[in-house]
Amino acid sequence: MAVAGATLTVQLGEVDKERLEALAETTGRSESLLAAEAVSEYLALQEWQVSAIEAAIASLDREEEIAHAAMRDWIESWDTDDELDPPKPSRA
C-alpha cells in the first residue's frame, strides 16, 4: 500500500549528496526514501527537544525543582541497560 506524500526540493552540499548516494547504493534503498526518513527523524528529535524545553520552562514557572544529583544520575544512565526514569520535580 503506497502512502501519498508531498514533494520537497532540498539543496544539499556536494559531500552530503555523495554520502546519500553511497548510502542508497549500499542499502539498496532510494535516496528519496533515505532523505524522507532523515527528515522524519530530525523532526521527531526537534519536537521532543522543544517539548522538553517547554516543560522545563513551565516547571520553573511553577517554581518546581529537580535536585541536581537526581538530574545528573538520570542523564548519566542514558543509553545504559539500567536507564533511570526521569526525576520528578518537587515544590521548592
Side-chain angles (χ1 to χ4, degrees):
M1 178 175 169
V3 176
T7 299
L8 174 68
T9 302
V10 178
Q11 298 250 330
L12 296 176
E14 190 60 36
V15 172
D16 286 338
K17 174 66 173 151
E18 291 171 1
R19 291 172 62 204
L20 182 59
E21 290 169 347
L23 184 59
E25 185 175 327
T26 301
T27 61
R29 301 168 82 193
S30 71
E31 293 172 31
S32 179
L33 178 64
L34 292 173
E37 286 180 354
V39 169
S40 182
E41 289 293 321
Y42 176 82
L43 292 173
L45 176 62
Q46 294 304 308
E47 290 166 344
W48 172 85
Q49 186 174 20
V50 168
S51 176
I53 290 168
E54 289 172 342
I57 291 170
S59 174
L60 291 173
D61 289 344
R62 291 187 307 269
E63 296 182 12
E64 294 177 337
E65 294 181 359
I66 296 176
H68 175 78
M71 182 62 73
R72 183 194 62 234
D73 292 344
W74 175 57
I75 292 171
E76 288 177 352
S77 77
W78 291 355
D79 294 327
T80 70
D81 291 336
D82 299 315
E83 187 168 320
L84 301 172
D85 291 330
K88 303 229 184 291
S90 60
R91 281 277 179 193

